[in-house]
Amino acid sequence: MARLVEGAVDFHVHPPWWIRDASKACKHLAAAEDRAGFSRFVVIAFDADEDLLDRLKPGDIVKAAMEASDLVAYALHMPWLARAVAEPEREIERLREDLRIHRRRPEEMVKCGEATGWKGIPVISYNPSRSPREMAEIVRGLEGRILGVKVYPTFHSTPPDSPRLDPVYEAVREIGGLVIVHTGCDPGIWELPAMCRHARPSLVKRAARRHRDLTFIVAHLGAYSALKPGIFFEEALDAIGEDNVYADTSAADPIYVEKAVREVGSEKLLFGSDYPYVHGLDIDAAAGEIEALGLERRHLENIFRFNAEKLLSRHWRK
Ligand SMILES: [Zn+2]
């Protein structure tokens, strides 16, 4: 379908996990973006080593569940939580399997970009099992072939303002790239407040103040949560008040996009479909929901095209 906004950019998508080969996965993605009328897309990896899960103890899951002040609400909405608490070892094994299925290494992301003729613009994932120096070297080695790095404060169990990330941020700045940070909660045990406490836009703001000449993107408008949609939305609005902080609309209920435009304007918002991770939504449907909000044309132009073009012309050297 042709988009309302010509030359639209989807700023937040992932390689389809069910196609293991990175080139094939991203060709599939490029075809899907093309059908939905997008001319370019930012394709984001998730990566971590399995030892990350060795550090997660069964007792941590139980403790995080017990700390949830509204545990009953969590248990009612999420029957899996009761299972996870009853059998935390099995939950960790399940997470291990998830990690194997979804991870994409930096070199795969480069293949992904190549396979799409660079219509797909790769962002690699931070990997907390690597030393900050090692991670920074990886980033420098990929100059011109990646747009930047994404941090998942939930899975990576790393707050975005952690000093551990400073060398990585510095390397991203050197290659002229940008940093994307997952904010809000995440499916599974990561929905528990103790497990998503690092994924706050206020911590992105802190990092952005320390790294004034580096661009940060608050993914999901801080709103990602199955049980408490919009959980850190207000913090996200506050964070994008910083010159070097933007936010993407991926996986956020469109009401938050409308609210954000009303409260702070559209100059800092980027459309992201989060394909293929948002259940029951295809790229076209995700875009259609925002187009249907009744926003003024200039806002749609900003969200779907101008803001993305501005960032890509600054940070993408291909
Ligand atoms: Zn995503």
Side-chain angles (χ1 to χ4, degrees):
M1 207 181 109
R3 283 259 72 76
L4 194 64
V5 173
E6 282 298 317
V9 179
D10 187 346
F11 221 91
H12 187 135
V13 284
H14 304 277
W17 70 87
W18 62 91
I19 307 173
R20 205 45 250 174
D21 178 83
S23 302
K24 283 184 191 150
C26 289
K27 276 186 181 150
H28 165 99
L29 189 54
E33 293 285 0
D34 197 47
R35 276 195 304 276
F38 285 87
S39 60
R40 285 189 290 177
F41 53 97
V42 174
V43 53
I44 305 170
F46 166 69
D47 196 14
D49 286 357
E50 273 191 51
D51 69 343
L52 190 65
L53 291 167
D54 299 337
R55 276 181 261 157
L56 180 67
K57 302 288 173 244
D60 297 341
I61 297 178
V62 178
K63 188 162 169 272
M66 294 312 153
E67 274 170 16
S69 56
D70 32 14
L71 183 60
V72 174
Y74 280 91
L76 282 176
H77 282 80
M78 292 173 284
W80 55 261
L81 181 65
R83 283 200 302 273
V85 174
E87 298 178 291
E89 294 87 355
R90 259 184 74 183
E91 180 65 14
I92 293 174
E93 280 319 301
R94 212 190 47 72
L95 289 169
R96 225 178 264 286
E97 185 56 26
D98 257 10
L99 184 62
R100 281 189 212 116
I101 293 171
H102 296 278
R103 69 181 296 193
R104 296 281 180 181
R105 293 168 178 81
E107 60 277 13
E108 291 182 85
M109 294 312 290
V110 172
K111 277 193 193 143
C112 168
E114 269 166 4
T116 66
W118 304 104
K119 275 188 164 193
I121 302 168
V123 168
I124 64 168
S125 167
Y126 173 62
N127 182 337
S129 300
R130 301 196 183 280
S131 74
R133 255 181 61 194
E134 218 182 328
M135 198 65 226
E137 277 315 305
I138 292 172
V139 170
R140 287 194 191 95
L142 295 175
E143 178 167 10
R145 288 176 293 162
I146 57 168
L147 177 65
V149 172
K150 179 162 181 195
V151 180
Y152 296 79
T154 45
F155 298 109
H156 290 156
S157 167
T158 306
D161 63 335
S162 162
R164 264 187 79 81
L165 288 167
D166 285 341
V168 184
Y169 290 162
E170 182 52 28
V172 174
R173 192 195 57 77
E174 274 174 43
I175 68 160
L178 52 77
V179 170
I180 303 177
V181 182
H182 174 93
T183 64
C185 298
D186 250 326
I189 57 165
W190 315 101
E191 187 70 43
L192 292 166
M195 305 299 269
C196 55
R197 71 187 189 284
H198 295 319
R200 304 188 76 118
S202 54
L203 304 180
V204 180
K205 177 178 168 176
R206 227 184 266 175
R209 287 191 151 188
R210 254 195 356 245
H211 300 268
R212 284 264 171 227
D213 40 6
L214 180 61
T215 298
F216 288 82
I217 296 171
V218 169
H220 317 302
L221 266 166
Y224 203 123
S225 169
L227 187 65
K228 296 179 178 170
I231 184 160
F232 303 137
F233 172 68
E234 294 300 331
E235 281 189 17
L237 290 193
D238 180 54
I240 61 178
E242 298 294 315
D243 283 346
N244 54 333
V245 182
Y246 289 71
D248 78 43
T249 67
S250 64
D253 188 300
I255 60 165
Y256 293 107
V257 179
E258 191 190 14
K259 225 174 149 202
V261 171
R262 217 171 38 234
E263 291 183 27
V264 297
S266 56
E267 279 74 19
K268 292 300 200 66
L269 303 177
L270 303 152
F271 170 76
S273 67
D274 213 5
Y275 179 85
Y277 283 102
V278 180
H279 296 291
L281 269 188
D282 56 26
I283 299 171
D284 197 52
E289 278 188 335
I290 296 191
E291 288 170 340
L293 284 172
L295 297 171
E296 274 174 53
R297 178 85 193 181
R298 65 189 172 98
H299 293 311
L300 291 177
E301 296 272 5
N302 281 341
I303 295 169
F304 281 99
R305 181 180 168 187
F306 292 147
N307 300 338
E309 278 180 350
K310 189 171 82 181
L311 288 185
L312 291 178
S313 70
R314 264 190 223 156
H315 298 289
W316 179 234
R317 294 176 174 175
K318 193 94 210 154

